[in-house]
Amino acid sequence: MKHLSKLPNVGTTIFSVMSALANEHNAINMSQGFPNFKSDSKLIDLVSQAMNSGFNQYAPMPGNMELREAIAKKMELLYNSTYNPETEITVTAGATQAIYTIISTFIRPNDEVIIFRPAYDCYEPAIEINGGKTISIQLNAPHYKVNWEEVSTHFSSKTKMIIINTPQNPSGSVFTKADMLALQKLTENTNCIVLSDEVYEHIIYDGLEHESACKFPGLKSRSFITASFGKTFHNTGWKVGYCCAPKELMDEFKKVHQFNVFSVNHPTQKALADYLKEPNNYLGLSEFYQTKRDLFLSLIKDSRFKYIPAKGTYFQVLDFSEITKENDVDFAKRLTINHGLAAIPLSVFNDNNKDDKVLRFCFAKTDDTLKKAAEIINNI
Ligand SMILES: Cc1ncc(COP(=O)(O)O)c(C=O)c1O
């Protein structure tokens, strides 16, 4: 049988490649973005309780109501922003599904979607499969700052959507209030939708505040915010997330969601609803990861890698330009095979695989793993 691929340029993701290489060579895996420590046992017990008390059939299509209410309360508490849990919040199978469904709901052939590179890898294939055109704006190491004048030169009536991600994977940079105000101004009086991927909202450092799109009224009215419980509660394998948006946008989203996913794993939703009611379960996350970032960086401060401390996320970018002239993919492979440490080369997230000689290390790891990784890094 012959068929024409709808995604001819998509192969195996770098995450699978590096994780397979890490396994094959028994390397420490700092490549893929998941913690190697356990989720809180209280949360795991809550899932068993939910199963034992009968939450085993379909959840309502937009999600368990208690969970949607808990999400609405969290948005109110953190950002002083009101979302109606009946109509403006949908629980999804991870943020990835929310992102895919948002793009599928609104992007038609030839619509343009602006993304900032280096970009998380699920945006572009979703745009492409729906016939949209990705307009990439390349940000540069080491600060990955947006030049909003440059963005405005790419912005036109064809721009149906802008995707932002703050705190940003893979660079560890964050959007400031000035960035959000510039985006608000750029999109004012247009029909452009903003997809604000905020899966690392609770992981931000050095006293910085997360600038959620919902804090800016002009942005909130055109934005979907996507979030991930996997990132927040150390259980990426559960694949539960959600999105929030004004009712008119969410009504359209739900039309697609109900025939694609319909509803998400119910006992997990019930457990997350109970767990989310206690704000201390997420408010300490920045401090928790900042301690890990600081430990990792203090251990490698005398190495030949250069860095600017990540401002958010659990990823640290390290510059290896003083070590080798190899391209980043080759160096990442050599680091895994010869030295036993896996990381992700940033070029895979860039326009035309631009190589800034930097690798991304996930520091959501036990202190013991971070110490072992630092030993390797210090010997390179
Ligand atoms: C920026 C970003 N968005 C979305 C996701 C996907 O989140 P989930 O695992 O909830 O689908 C990730 C996961 O790595 C991410 O880094």
PDB file of all heavy atoms in Angstrom, residues 33 93-97 99 120 122-123 165 167 169 197 199-200 227-231 236 239-241 315, ligand 1:
ATOM      1  N   GLY A  33      13.093  15.099  29.966  1.00  0.00           N
ATOM      2  CA  GLY A  33      12.603  15.959  31.046  1.00  0.00           C
ATOM      3  C   GLY A  33      11.677  15.261  32.016  1.00  0.00           C
ATOM      4  O   GLY A  33      10.485  15.553  32.037  1.00  0.00           O
ATOM      5  N   ALA A  93      -5.258  15.124  28.331  1.00  0.00           N
ATOM      6  CA  ALA A  93      -4.271  14.038  28.496  1.00  0.00           C
ATOM      7  C   ALA A  93      -2.874  14.652  28.362  1.00  0.00           C
ATOM      8  O   ALA A  93      -2.206  14.536  27.337  1.00  0.00           O
ATOM      9  CB  ALA A  93      -4.503  12.965  27.446  1.00  0.00           C
ATOM     10  N   GLY A  94      -2.456  15.344  29.399  1.00  0.00           N
ATOM     11  CA  GLY A  94      -1.182  16.069  29.380  1.00  0.00           C
ATOM     12  C   GLY A  94      -1.336  17.382  28.620  1.00  0.00           C
ATOM     13  O   GLY A  94      -2.343  17.610  27.926  1.00  0.00           O
ATOM     14  N   ALA A  95      -0.311  18.231  28.780  1.00  0.00           N
ATOM     15  CA  ALA A  95      -0.343  19.500  28.040  1.00  0.00           C
ATOM     16  C   ALA A  95      -0.227  19.240  26.542  1.00  0.00           C
ATOM     17  O   ALA A  95      -0.768  19.986  25.729  1.00  0.00           O
ATOM     18  CB  ALA A  95       0.802  20.398  28.510  1.00  0.00           C
ATOM     19  N   THR A  96       0.453  18.159  26.184  1.00  0.00           N
ATOM     20  CA  THR A  96       0.657  17.864  24.750  1.00  0.00           C
ATOM     21  C   THR A  96      -0.679  17.769  24.022  1.00  0.00           C
ATOM     22  O   THR A  96      -0.837  18.299  22.925  1.00  0.00           O
ATOM     23  CB  THR A  96       1.419  16.534  24.579  1.00  0.00           C
ATOM     24  OG1 THR A  96       2.547  16.549  25.437  1.00  0.00           O
ATOM     25  CG2 THR A  96       1.868  16.330  23.155  1.00  0.00           C
ATOM     26  N   GLN A  97      -1.637  17.072  24.633  1.00  0.00           N
ATOM     27  CA  GLN A  97      -2.939  16.941  23.963  1.00  0.00           C
ATOM     28  C   GLN A  97      -3.670  18.275  23.906  1.00  0.00           C
ATOM     29  O   GLN A  97      -4.307  18.597  22.896  1.00  0.00           O
ATOM     30  CB  GLN A  97      -3.812  15.894  24.674  1.00  0.00           C
ATOM     31  CG  GLN A  97      -5.156  15.673  23.972  1.00  0.00           C
ATOM     32  CD  GLN A  97      -6.335  16.121  24.808  1.00  0.00           C
ATOM     33  OE1 GLN A  97      -6.406  15.793  25.998  1.00  0.00           O
ATOM     34  NE2 GLN A  97      -7.265  16.842  24.212  1.00  0.00           N
ATOM     35  N   ILE A  99      -2.283  21.167  23.651  1.00  0.00           N
ATOM     36  CA  ILE A  99      -1.616  21.948  22.594  1.00  0.00           C
ATOM     37  C   ILE A  99      -2.067  21.463  21.211  1.00  0.00           C
ATOM     38  O   ILE A  99      -2.440  22.249  20.339  1.00  0.00           O
ATOM     39  CB  ILE A  99      -0.076  21.840  22.759  1.00  0.00           C
ATOM     40  CG1 ILE A  99       0.363  22.560  24.046  1.00  0.00           C
ATOM     41  CG2 ILE A  99       0.661  22.383  21.534  1.00  0.00           C
ATOM     42  CD1 ILE A  99       1.766  22.215  24.533  1.00  0.00           C
ATOM     43  N   TYR A 120      10.023  23.842  22.090  1.00  0.00           N
ATOM     44  CA  TYR A 120       9.599  22.482  22.439  1.00  0.00           C
ATOM     45  C   TYR A 120       9.053  21.825  21.171  1.00  0.00           C
ATOM     46  O   TYR A 120       8.439  22.473  20.331  1.00  0.00           O
ATOM     47  CB  TYR A 120       8.541  22.542  23.546  1.00  0.00           C
ATOM     48  CG  TYR A 120       8.102  21.194  24.015  1.00  0.00           C
ATOM     49  CD1 TYR A 120       9.025  20.302  24.558  1.00  0.00           C
ATOM     50  CD2 TYR A 120       6.775  20.794  23.898  1.00  0.00           C
ATOM     51  CE1 TYR A 120       8.629  19.040  24.977  1.00  0.00           C
ATOM     52  CE2 TYR A 120       6.377  19.540  24.326  1.00  0.00           C
ATOM     53  CZ  TYR A 120       7.304  18.671  24.859  1.00  0.00           C
ATOM     54  OH  TYR A 120       6.912  17.423  25.262  1.00  0.00           O
ATOM     55  N   CYS A 122       6.695  19.729  20.131  1.00  0.00           N
ATOM     56  CA  CYS A 122       5.363  19.267  19.688  1.00  0.00           C
ATOM     57  C   CYS A 122       4.580  20.339  18.931  1.00  0.00           C
ATOM     58  O   CYS A 122       3.517  20.054  18.391  1.00  0.00           O
ATOM     59  CB  CYS A 122       4.545  18.715  20.855  1.00  0.00           C
ATOM     60  SG  CYS A 122       3.749  19.962  21.881  1.00  0.00           S
ATOM     61  N   TYR A 123       5.088  21.570  18.897  1.00  0.00           N
ATOM     62  CA  TYR A 123       4.291  22.626  18.245  1.00  0.00           C
ATOM     63  C   TYR A 123       4.255  22.460  16.719  1.00  0.00           C
ATOM     64  O   TYR A 123       3.194  22.469  16.102  1.00  0.00           O
ATOM     65  CB  TYR A 123       4.847  24.019  18.574  1.00  0.00           C
ATOM     66  CG  TYR A 123       5.082  24.318  20.041  1.00  0.00           C
ATOM     67  CD1 TYR A 123       6.170  25.089  20.457  1.00  0.00           C
ATOM     68  CD2 TYR A 123       4.219  23.855  21.027  1.00  0.00           C
ATOM     69  CE1 TYR A 123       6.388  25.385  21.800  1.00  0.00           C
ATOM     70  CE2 TYR A 123       4.437  24.139  22.373  1.00  0.00           C
ATOM     71  CZ  TYR A 123       5.528  24.896  22.749  1.00  0.00           C
ATOM     72  OH  TYR A 123       5.747  25.180  24.067  1.00  0.00           O
ATOM     73  N   ASN A 165       6.116  30.153  25.391  1.00  0.00           N
ATOM     74  CA  ASN A 165       6.380  29.129  26.407  1.00  0.00           C
ATOM     75  C   ASN A 165       7.252  29.782  27.489  1.00  0.00           C
ATOM     76  O   ASN A 165       8.407  30.077  27.255  1.00  0.00           O
ATOM     77  CB  ASN A 165       7.097  27.946  25.740  1.00  0.00           C
ATOM     78  CG  ASN A 165       7.607  26.906  26.721  1.00  0.00           C
ATOM     79  OD1 ASN A 165       8.631  26.275  26.498  1.00  0.00           O
ATOM     80  ND2 ASN A 165       6.899  26.711  27.809  1.00  0.00           N
ATOM     81  N   PRO A 167       7.956  29.629  31.904  1.00  0.00           N
ATOM     82  CA  PRO A 167       9.370  29.426  31.663  1.00  0.00           C
ATOM     83  C   PRO A 167       9.606  28.485  30.480  1.00  0.00           C
ATOM     84  O   PRO A 167       8.813  27.578  30.250  1.00  0.00           O
ATOM     85  CB  PRO A 167       9.876  28.811  32.969  1.00  0.00           C
ATOM     86  CG  PRO A 167       8.938  29.326  34.016  1.00  0.00           C
ATOM     87  CD  PRO A 167       7.605  29.376  33.332  1.00  0.00           C
ATOM     88  N   ASN A 169      11.243  25.832  27.871  1.00  0.00           N
ATOM     89  CA  ASN A 169      12.006  24.622  27.589  1.00  0.00           C
ATOM     90  C   ASN A 169      12.420  24.713  26.119  1.00  0.00           C
ATOM     91  O   ASN A 169      11.540  24.881  25.281  1.00  0.00           O
ATOM     92  CB  ASN A 169      11.122  23.393  27.803  1.00  0.00           C
ATOM     93  CG  ASN A 169      11.787  22.110  27.377  1.00  0.00           C
ATOM     94  OD1 ASN A 169      12.984  22.061  27.166  1.00  0.00           O
ATOM     95  ND2 ASN A 169      10.985  21.062  27.237  1.00  0.00           N
ATOM     96  N   ASP A 197       2.072  28.327  26.664  1.00  0.00           N
ATOM     97  CA  ASP A 197       2.424  27.035  27.257  1.00  0.00           C
ATOM     98  C   ASP A 197       3.156  27.317  28.572  1.00  0.00           C
ATOM     99  O   ASP A 197       4.297  27.758  28.579  1.00  0.00           O
ATOM    100  CB  ASP A 197       3.316  26.272  26.265  1.00  0.00           C
ATOM    101  CG  ASP A 197       3.668  24.885  26.755  1.00  0.00           C
ATOM    102  OD1 ASP A 197       3.302  24.529  27.884  1.00  0.00           O
ATOM    103  OD2 ASP A 197       4.342  24.149  25.995  1.00  0.00           O
ATOM    104  N   VAL A 199       3.660  25.123  31.274  1.00  0.00           N
ATOM    105  CA  VAL A 199       3.767  23.879  32.062  1.00  0.00           C
ATOM    106  C   VAL A 199       4.778  23.997  33.205  1.00  0.00           C
ATOM    107  O   VAL A 199       4.704  23.243  34.169  1.00  0.00           O
ATOM    108  CB  VAL A 199       4.092  22.632  31.197  1.00  0.00           C
ATOM    109  CG1 VAL A 199       3.007  22.347  30.191  1.00  0.00           C
ATOM    110  CG2 VAL A 199       5.440  22.745  30.526  1.00  0.00           C
ATOM    111  N   TYR A 200       5.701  24.962  33.116  1.00  0.00           N
ATOM    112  CA  TYR A 200       6.687  25.134  34.211  1.00  0.00           C
ATOM    113  C   TYR A 200       6.339  26.335  35.087  1.00  0.00           C
ATOM    114  O   TYR A 200       7.219  26.949  35.690  1.00  0.00           O
ATOM    115  CB  TYR A 200       8.100  25.269  33.631  1.00  0.00           C
ATOM    116  CG  TYR A 200       8.502  24.049  32.834  1.00  0.00           C
ATOM    117  CD1 TYR A 200       8.481  24.060  31.439  1.00  0.00           C
ATOM    118  CD2 TYR A 200       8.856  22.860  33.464  1.00  0.00           C
ATOM    119  CE1 TYR A 200       8.814  22.931  30.702  1.00  0.00           C
ATOM    120  CE2 TYR A 200       9.185  21.722  32.734  1.00  0.00           C
ATOM    121  CZ  TYR A 200       9.164  21.776  31.361  1.00  0.00           C
ATOM    122  OH  TYR A 200       9.487  20.651  30.637  1.00  0.00           O
ATOM    123  N   ALA A 227      -1.211  23.667  30.911  1.00  0.00           N
ATOM    124  CA  ALA A 227      -0.506  23.293  32.144  1.00  0.00           C
ATOM    125  C   ALA A 227      -0.415  21.772  32.234  1.00  0.00           C
ATOM    126  O   ALA A 227      -1.175  21.057  31.572  1.00  0.00           O
ATOM    127  CB  ALA A 227      -1.252  23.856  33.347  1.00  0.00           C
ATOM    128  N   SER A 228       0.527  21.325  33.082  1.00  0.00           N
ATOM    129  CA  SER A 228       0.793  19.878  33.163  1.00  0.00           C
ATOM    130  C   SER A 228       0.986  19.442  34.608  1.00  0.00           C
ATOM    131  O   SER A 228       1.898  19.926  35.279  1.00  0.00           O
ATOM    132  CB  SER A 228       2.068  19.570  32.369  1.00  0.00           C
ATOM    133  OG  SER A 228       2.523  18.269  32.650  1.00  0.00           O
ATOM    134  N   PHE A 229       0.136  18.537  35.085  1.00  0.00           N
ATOM    135  CA  PHE A 229       0.345  18.009  36.442  1.00  0.00           C
ATOM    136  C   PHE A 229       1.581  17.125  36.499  1.00  0.00           C
ATOM    137  O   PHE A 229       2.184  16.970  37.548  1.00  0.00           O
ATOM    138  CB  PHE A 229      -0.883  17.222  36.911  1.00  0.00           C
ATOM    139  CG  PHE A 229      -2.073  18.100  37.184  1.00  0.00           C
ATOM    140  CD1 PHE A 229      -3.233  17.981  36.431  1.00  0.00           C
ATOM    141  CD2 PHE A 229      -2.018  19.053  38.185  1.00  0.00           C
ATOM    142  CE1 PHE A 229      -4.323  18.807  36.678  1.00  0.00           C
ATOM    143  CE2 PHE A 229      -3.104  19.881  38.441  1.00  0.00           C
ATOM    144  CZ  PHE A 229      -4.254  19.759  37.681  1.00  0.00           C
ATOM    145  N   GLY A 230       1.949  16.545  35.368  1.00  0.00           N
ATOM    146  CA  GLY A 230       3.153  15.712  35.330  1.00  0.00           C
ATOM    147  C   GLY A 230       4.383  16.497  35.748  1.00  0.00           C
ATOM    148  O   GLY A 230       5.223  16.015  36.509  1.00  0.00           O
ATOM    149  N   LYS A 231       4.480  17.740  35.255  1.00  0.00           N
ATOM    150  CA  LYS A 231       5.632  18.590  35.584  1.00  0.00           C
ATOM    151  C   LYS A 231       5.551  19.059  37.031  1.00  0.00           C
ATOM    152  O   LYS A 231       6.553  19.184  37.711  1.00  0.00           O
ATOM    153  CB  LYS A 231       5.649  19.827  34.671  1.00  0.00           C
ATOM    154  CG  LYS A 231       5.716  19.499  33.204  1.00  0.00           C
ATOM    155  CD  LYS A 231       7.028  18.849  32.852  1.00  0.00           C
ATOM    156  CE  LYS A 231       7.044  18.452  31.388  1.00  0.00           C
ATOM    157  NZ  LYS A 231       8.246  17.711  31.037  1.00  0.00           N
ATOM    158  N   THR A 236       5.212  12.482  35.317  1.00  0.00           N
ATOM    159  CA  THR A 236       5.010  12.759  33.889  1.00  0.00           C
ATOM    160  C   THR A 236       4.294  11.595  33.189  1.00  0.00           C
ATOM    161  O   THR A 236       3.645  11.799  32.170  1.00  0.00           O
ATOM    162  CB  THR A 236       6.352  13.029  33.173  1.00  0.00           C
ATOM    163  OG1 THR A 236       7.210  11.901  33.381  1.00  0.00           O
ATOM    164  CG2 THR A 236       7.027  14.274  33.698  1.00  0.00           C
ATOM    165  N   LYS A 239       0.304  11.650  32.542  1.00  0.00           N
ATOM    166  CA  LYS A 239      -0.209  12.420  31.404  1.00  0.00           C
ATOM    167  C   LYS A 239      -1.570  13.064  31.707  1.00  0.00           C
ATOM    168  O   LYS A 239      -2.569  12.815  31.028  1.00  0.00           O
ATOM    169  CB  LYS A 239      -0.306  11.531  30.153  1.00  0.00           C
ATOM    170  CG  LYS A 239       1.031  11.128  29.567  1.00  0.00           C
ATOM    171  CD  LYS A 239       1.866  12.278  29.048  1.00  0.00           C
ATOM    172  CE  LYS A 239       1.370  12.879  27.767  1.00  0.00           C
ATOM    173  NZ  LYS A 239       2.356  13.868  27.239  1.00  0.00           N
ATOM    174  N   VAL A 240      -1.590  13.881  32.730  1.00  0.00           N
ATOM    175  CA  VAL A 240      -2.789  14.683  32.978  1.00  0.00           C
ATOM    176  C   VAL A 240      -2.380  16.156  33.028  1.00  0.00           C
ATOM    177  O   VAL A 240      -1.415  16.514  33.704  1.00  0.00           O
ATOM    178  CB  VAL A 240      -3.508  14.301  34.299  1.00  0.00           C
ATOM    179  CG1 VAL A 240      -4.807  15.110  34.455  1.00  0.00           C
ATOM    180  CG2 VAL A 240      -3.832  12.818  34.327  1.00  0.00           C
ATOM    181  N   GLY A 241      -3.090  16.959  32.278  1.00  0.00           N
ATOM    182  CA  GLY A 241      -2.851  18.394  32.258  1.00  0.00           C
ATOM    183  C   GLY A 241      -4.183  19.105  32.081  1.00  0.00           C
ATOM    184  O   GLY A 241      -5.254  18.499  32.258  1.00  0.00           O
ATOM    185  N   PHE A 315      15.641  22.676  33.545  1.00  0.00           N
ATOM    186  CA  PHE A 315      16.691  22.447  32.558  1.00  0.00           C
ATOM    187  C   PHE A 315      17.793  23.489  32.696  1.00  0.00           C
ATOM    188  O   PHE A 315      17.501  24.679  32.856  1.00  0.00           O
ATOM    189  CB  PHE A 315      16.115  22.534  31.141  1.00  0.00           C
ATOM    190  CG  PHE A 315      15.022  21.539  30.891  1.00  0.00           C
ATOM    191  CD1 PHE A 315      13.715  21.958  30.708  1.00  0.00           C
ATOM    192  CD2 PHE A 315      15.303  20.182  30.863  1.00  0.00           C
ATOM    193  CE1 PHE A 315      12.700  21.039  30.496  1.00  0.00           C
ATOM    194  CE2 PHE A 315      14.292  19.258  30.647  1.00  0.00           C
ATOM    195  CZ  PHE A 315      12.993  19.678  30.470  1.00  0.00           C
TER     196      PHE A 315
HETATM  197  C1  LIG B   1       7.291  23.175  27.144  1.00  0.00           C
HETATM  198  C2  LIG B   1       6.527  21.905  27.289  1.00  0.00           C
HETATM  199  N1  LIG B   1       5.235  21.880  26.919  1.00  0.00           N
HETATM  200  C3  LIG B   1       4.499  20.764  27.016  1.00  0.00           C
HETATM  201  C4  LIG B   1       5.047  19.594  27.521  1.00  0.00           C
HETATM  202  C5  LIG B   1       4.198  18.367  27.589  1.00  0.00           C
HETATM  203  O1  LIG B   1       3.596  18.186  28.823  1.00  0.00           O
HETATM  204  P1  LIG B   1       2.795  16.826  29.145  1.00  0.00           P
HETATM  205  O2  LIG B   1       3.799  15.809  29.545  1.00  0.00           O
HETATM  206  O3  LIG B   1       1.868  17.213  30.250  1.00  0.00           O
HETATM  207  O4  LIG B   1       2.083  16.445  27.905  1.00  0.00           O
HETATM  208  C6  LIG B   1       6.370  19.577  27.909  1.00  0.00           C
HETATM  209  C7  LIG B   1       6.996  18.324  28.378  1.00  0.00           C
HETATM  210  O5  LIG B   1       8.206  18.160  28.370  1.00  0.00           O
HETATM  211  C8  LIG B   1       7.134  20.773  27.806  1.00  0.00           C
HETATM  212  O6  LIG B   1       8.419  20.802  28.178  1.00  0.00           O
END
